[in-house]
């Protein structure tokens, strides 16, 4: 059973920083693309940043130069360093990953897994 869990959310003042972490666990054999999404109240879910296994990154324009996505393949982890936060960044942030795993019988399983989401609040 593969699980994906976020951590590191919280409340900061405008201009502050937070670092989100995403930990994948289970009988994982390989993680390909990983992504951070966010959704603010009454708004559509938005892809914030993505990173390939090789470390190629992409960002939505609104966070370029402020956010940095990274990953640790050995630990099955992904991170999102968020700097110069604004109230417009406040949202529930969710980790998403394309994961190959195996069953107890050794059969390969491919899936796209989502975390539960973690809240980021930006207010003075």
């Amino acid at each position: 059973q593969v699980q994906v869990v976020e951590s590191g959310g919280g409340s900061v003042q405008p201009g502050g920083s937070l670092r989100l972490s995403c930990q994948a666990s289970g009988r994982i054999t390989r993680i390909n693309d990983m992504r951070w999404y966010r959704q603010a109240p009454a708004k559509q879910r938005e892809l914030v940043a993505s990173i390939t296994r090789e470390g190629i990154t992409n960002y939505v324009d609104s966070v370029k130069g402020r956010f940095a996505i990274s990953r640790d393949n050995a630990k099955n982890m992904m991170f999102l360093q968020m700097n110069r936060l604004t109230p417009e960044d406040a949202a529930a942030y969710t980790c998403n990953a394309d994961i190959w795993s195996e069953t107890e019988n050794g059969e390969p399983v491919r899936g796209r897994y989502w975390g539960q989401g973690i809240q980021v609040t930006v207010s003075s």
Side-chain angles (χ1 to χ4, degrees), residues 11-87:
S11 180
V12 294
Q13 293 185 341
S17 298
L18 279 175
R19 187 182 192 227
L20 303 182
S21 298
C22 171
Q23 175 74 67
S25 61
R27 299 173 64 90
I28 294 171
T29 55
R30 181 184 177 91
I31 301 178
N32 291 329
D33 292 359
M34 303 183 80
R35 308 165 192 88
W36 285 103
Y37 285 85
R38 68 184 179 186
Q39 186 168 19
K43 291 189 177 181
Q44 288 191 334
R45 186 170 61 196
E46 175 182 50
L47 175 59
V48 177
S50 64
I51 184 168
T52 69
R53 180 172 180 82
E54 294 76 22
I56 298 171
T57 60
N58 277 291
Y59 299 92
V60 67
D61 285 347
S62 60
V63 307
K64 285 180 180 177
R66 299 188 298 120
F67 289 13
I69 188 172
S70 60
R71 62 190 286 172
D72 184 332
N73 291 333
K75 296 181 179 179
N76 293 332
M77 295 189 72
M78 175 178 63
F79 308 96
L80 186 67
Q81 178 66 43
M82 305 185 294
N83 299 323
R84 304 200 308 274
L85 286 159
T86 74

